[in-house]
Amino acid sequence: MFWPLLIGALALALAVPVAVSSRRHRPVRFPRPEDVDLDAEHARVRAVLDSPDARSLVLEKDGVRVYRCRAEYCPHVAYLSESVVAASAEAIRALVHERAPITRINESYAGGRVLGTQADGAELAVFGTMRFRSQSPLTAPRDGVAITSVRRREDGEIGVLTLSVDHPDAPLVPGYARYKNYASYDRITPLGEGKCRLEHIMVLDP
């Protein structure tokens, strides 16, 4: 009598997490790059940055403030960091927009490739892939496909938007879990004297 009960309990214990996991992590459909309204995406993330009532301070250390935010476009909690950086707005844009520096910042970065570009006002929006090594033997490595768009304002402010898209040249990769970037944003505001304010918000579904 004991062994059937034990085997049944083990089967139930294994089946429930699998069922819950499969329900929570169903494949997510992403828009194609050409179907994304980039102006609207920039506007809705900026609305969060421009709303002090939508954020609450979580941590302040070494000149960096971290806020918990409410973002209507995402079902998860968003976090916003804010700091003053001794660099030009264009130098910061290059750091957050180009991929080369990430190999020095994020040790889990495992490579990526540019898939193409499309007209984006006065700029070119770039879309491509990124892969990240697993940080634990219990989790799968991650990959993603995203489009990056830049907006420059007359006062010198620069906004860099990145969000997940779909692309026929980047199918799902066996062994990788595809993350969803609901919309990350870097707002770079010149302050004068070679300094800028950098605000960074990111919401990922890992």
Side-chain angles (χ1 to χ4, degrees):
M1 185 66 180
F2 173 75
W3 287 109
L5 289 175
L6 179 60
I7 293 173
L10 287 174
L12 181 62
L14 292 173
V16 170
V18 169
V20 172
S21 177
S22 64
R23 184 170 64 250
R24 290 181 178 176
H25 300 284
R26 287 175 295 183
V28 179
R29 292 187 178 274
F30 303 108
R32 295 175 301 177
E34 61 269 25
D35 293 335
V36 178
D37 185 339
L38 292 171
D39 286 329
E41 295 293 341
H42 276 271
R44 71 175 183 172
V45 182
R46 285 181 57 85
V48 176
L49 296 176
D50 290 337
S51 177
D53 294 336
R55 65 174 72 175
S56 58
L57 185 64
V58 176
L59 176 67
E60 183 172 4
K61 185 177 181 180
D62 298 331
V64 179
R65 294 180 177 178
V66 179
Y67 300 89
R68 183 182 291 109
C69 299
R70 298 191 306 274
E72 294 182 358
Y73 58 84
C74 175
H76 305 298
V77 174
Y79 286 91
L80 163 69
S81 64
E82 180 184 60
S83 60
V84 174
V85 182
S88 69
E90 194 57 39
I92 300 173
R93 182 213 61 80
L95 181 65
V96 301
H97 189 197
E98 297 172 7
R99 296 186 176 212
I102 197 172
T103 60
R104 302 193 299 270
I105 298 171
N106 192 332
E107 295 180 354
S108 68
Y109 180 67
R113 60 192 177 100
V114 174
L115 297 173
T117 61
Q118 69 183 44
D120 181 25
E123 305 281 343
L124 277 178
V126 180
F127 43 94
T129 65
M130 299 182 78
R131 291 184 181 179
F132 296 89
R133 287 181 287 272
S134 173
Q135 298 298 292
S136 166
L138 301 178
T139 59
R142 300 296 196 259
D143 83 330
V145 184
I147 188 168
T148 300
S149 167
V150 177
R151 290 287 183 274
R152 290 178 169 84
R153 297 165 64 92
E154 292 183 358
D155 59 3
E157 178 188 298
I158 300 176
V160 181
L161 168 77
T162 302
L163 73 160
S164 289
V165 292
D166 194 11
H167 196 276
D169 292 337
L172 294 175
V173 180
Y176 279 79
R178 179 149 295 180
Y179 63 82
K180 179 176 183 179
N181 186 342
Y182 285 92
S184 65
Y185 202 86
D186 292 276
R187 180 161 70 176
I188 309 160
T189 308
L191 300 176
E193 299 181 352
K195 296 181 179 180
C196 291
R197 177 184 297 108
L198 174 61
E199 297 167 279
H200 173 75
I201 186 170
M202 175 176 283
V203 188
L204 290 179
D205 190 343

